[in-house]
């Protein structure tokens, strides 16, 4: 029951995030705001709607970026592990602290 709902909401979230990322979306928001003002709509209602919409949209975009980042990281890890002579400890480095990353960059073993 949960998986179909998760897939459906993920699909809708991706569609909305992609549409909102299109340059025409900014023009659409501007037109909507001008039309709202011209038709005498409440500024408070418009401000509330825009605030709620921007919060929800930000979460959708961050969720999409997180999935893309995870996929890209997996691809990079796969390339590192398949390359002969590559340092395997670099795969999965994103979960290490900044100090551990600097030690690996300097060529030292962070477990020492």
């Amino acid at each position: 029951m949960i998986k179909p709902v998760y897939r459906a909401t993920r699909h809708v979230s991706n569609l909305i995030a992609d549409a909102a990322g299109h340059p025409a979306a900014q023009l659409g928001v501007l037109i909507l705001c001008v039309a709202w003002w011209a038709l005498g709509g409440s500024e408070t209602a418009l401000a509330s709607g825009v605030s709620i919409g921007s919060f929800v949209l930000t979460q959708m975009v961050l969720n999409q970026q997180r999935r893309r980042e995870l996929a890209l990281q997996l691809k990079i890890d796969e390339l590192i592990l398949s390359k002969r002579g590559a340092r395997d400890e670099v795969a999965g480095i994103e979960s290490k602290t900044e100090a551990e990353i600097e030690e690996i960059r300097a060529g030292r073993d962070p477990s020492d």
Side-chain angles (χ1 to χ4, degrees), residues 2 12-13 15 17 21 26 28 33 38 40-42 49 54 62 75 79 81 87-88 92 95 97 99 101 103:
I2 300 266
V12 169
S13 178
L15 287 175
Q26 292 178 354
C33 290
S42 165
S54 60
L62 288 173
K75 291 174 187 180
L79 288 171
L81 294 172
R87 296 184 301 166
D88 290 347
S95 63
T97 66
I101 292 171
E103 288 177 5

Side-chain angles (χ1 to χ4, degrees), residues 15-29:
L15 287 175
I16 293 171
D18 286 341
H22 195 277
Q26 292 178 354
L27 182 61
V29 169

Side-chain angles (χ1 to χ4, degrees), residues 93-112:
I93 198 169
E94 68 280 356
S95 63
K96 300 201 180 291
T97 66
E98 285 185 46
E100 290 173 322
I101 292 171
E102 287 302 321
E103 288 177 5
I104 291 172
R105 178 180 291 175
R108 296 186 303 267
D109 186 359
S111 60
D112 290 343

Side-chain angles (χ1 to χ4, degrees), residues 32-77:
L32 176 72
C33 290
V34 169
W36 185 278
W37 175 77
L39 295 172
S42 165
E43 289 181 28
T44 304
L46 178 63
S48 297
V50 169
S51 294
I52 292 167
S54 60
F55 176 76
V56 171
L57 186 59
T58 299
Q59 296 308 311
M60 289 178 174
V61 170
L62 288 173
N63 190 27
Q64 187 179 46
Q65 285 178 335
R66 183 180 159 274
R67 278 195 311 275
R68 287 182 178 169
E69 182 182 311
L70 288 172
L72 182 61
Q73 194 60 53
L74 177 62
K75 291 174 187 180
I76 292 170
D77 287 349

Side-chain angles (χ1 to χ4, degrees), residues 1-11 63 66-67:
M1 169 69 181
I2 300 266
K3 282 195 176 199
V5 172
Y6 174 77
R7 276 191 228 116
T9 55
R10 184 179 64 191
H11 180 70
N63 190 27
R66 183 180 159 274
R67 278 195 311 275

